[in-house]
Amino acid sequence: MELLIEYFAKGLMTMLMIAMPCVLTAAGIGLVVGILQAVTQVQEQTIAAAPKIFSVFLVIILLGTGYIKLLSNLFNEGAVIAFDVVPKSDDFVLPSGYYNYTKPFIDEIKFDTKKDMTPMSHILNNAARPQGSTQKEKFNFLRNGATDIPTPNLAEQKVINENKR
């Protein structure tokens, strides 16, 4: 368990090491632009955004290879833990007879194969014809017994009844 907590802490430290230069650069540029705006009395919000975006983009370009190395080292260490350390450790592995007397997720498995699956012979015989092309199949595939033909509203029903006379 300590191994997983240690790896989680390394992940948080990697995240901070990647984010901090960008955040500090944006904060520094924001402070400088804020001081300049206070001196010149130009209070425009969009003036501060462009230098921040440009500087953070520049930091990402300059430090990007270091970020990639940090992330790849973290990924490689996680893969070693997942595939080499955990399977060989008795603390993480269940005993071999664990599922002999228990059925995990048995309540969640409610799949009736006879009801939910279409017979293979029906699929093979009707492969060229699109599903739901006959009127009977259209009604079978519609949900809640609804029809694909909308019912007319009251005004339309009056016009239909007048045309029938």
Side-chain angles (χ1 to χ4, degrees), residues 10-126:
K10 284 183 182 180
L12 288 177
M13 287 303 297
T14 303
M15 179 185 66
L16 286 174
M17 289 170 57
I18 290 173
M20 285 308 283
C22 298
V23 170
L24 290 177
T25 302
I29 297 293
L31 180 66
V32 170
V33 170
I35 291 171
L36 288 175
Q37 283 181 334
V39 169
T40 60
Q41 294 182 353
V42 176
Q43 299 298 324
E44 181 62 33
Q45 296 292 331
T46 58
I47 293 174
K52 284 183 189 178
I53 292 171
F54 179 73
S55 62
V56 169
F57 185 68
L58 191 64
V59 167
I60 291 173
I61 288 174
L62 293 176
L63 300 177
T65 56
Y67 293 162
I68 291 172
K69 286 180 184 176
L70 283 172
L71 288 172
S72 63
N73 288 340
L74 183 71
F75 176 77
N76 289 337
E77 188 175 347
V80 167
I81 290 171
F83 296 116
D84 289 342
V85 176
V86 171
K88 294 176 183 170
S89 175
D90 291 337
D91 296 336
F92 296 105
V93 180
L94 293 173
S96 61
Y98 181 75
Y99 289 118
N100 286 349
Y101 303 105
T102 62
K103 302 254 188 237
F105 311 115
I106 197 67
D107 295 333
E108 286 83 7
I109 301 172
K110 292 182 174 147
F111 182 72
D112 186 8
T113 55
K114 294 177 183 171
K115 178 184 171 191
D116 295 336
M117 295 181 67
T118 306
M120 187 56 79
S121 60
H122 175 73
I123 294 172
L124 292 175
N125 292 336
N126 300 313

Side-chain angles (χ1 to χ4, degrees), residues 103-163:
K103 302 254 188 237
F105 311 115
I106 197 67
D107 295 333
E108 286 83 7
I109 301 172
K110 292 182 174 147
F111 182 72
D112 186 8
T113 55
K114 294 177 183 171
K115 178 184 171 191
D116 295 336
M117 295 181 67
T118 306
M120 187 56 79
S121 60
H122 175 73
I123 294 172
L124 292 175
N125 292 336
N126 300 313
R129 190 172 50 82
Q131 192 173 19
S133 60
T134 65
Q135 192 65 24
K136 181 181 176 185
E137 287 179 346
K138 282 182 185 178
F139 287 118
N140 286 341
F141 286 114
L142 292 173
R143 299 177 195 259
N144 300 329
T147 63
D148 57 346
I149 303 169
T151 57
N153 61 18
L154 188 61
E156 292 171 339
Q157 191 67 38
K158 279 185 174 180
V159 172
I160 291 171
N161 289 337
E162 289 175 4
N163 288 341

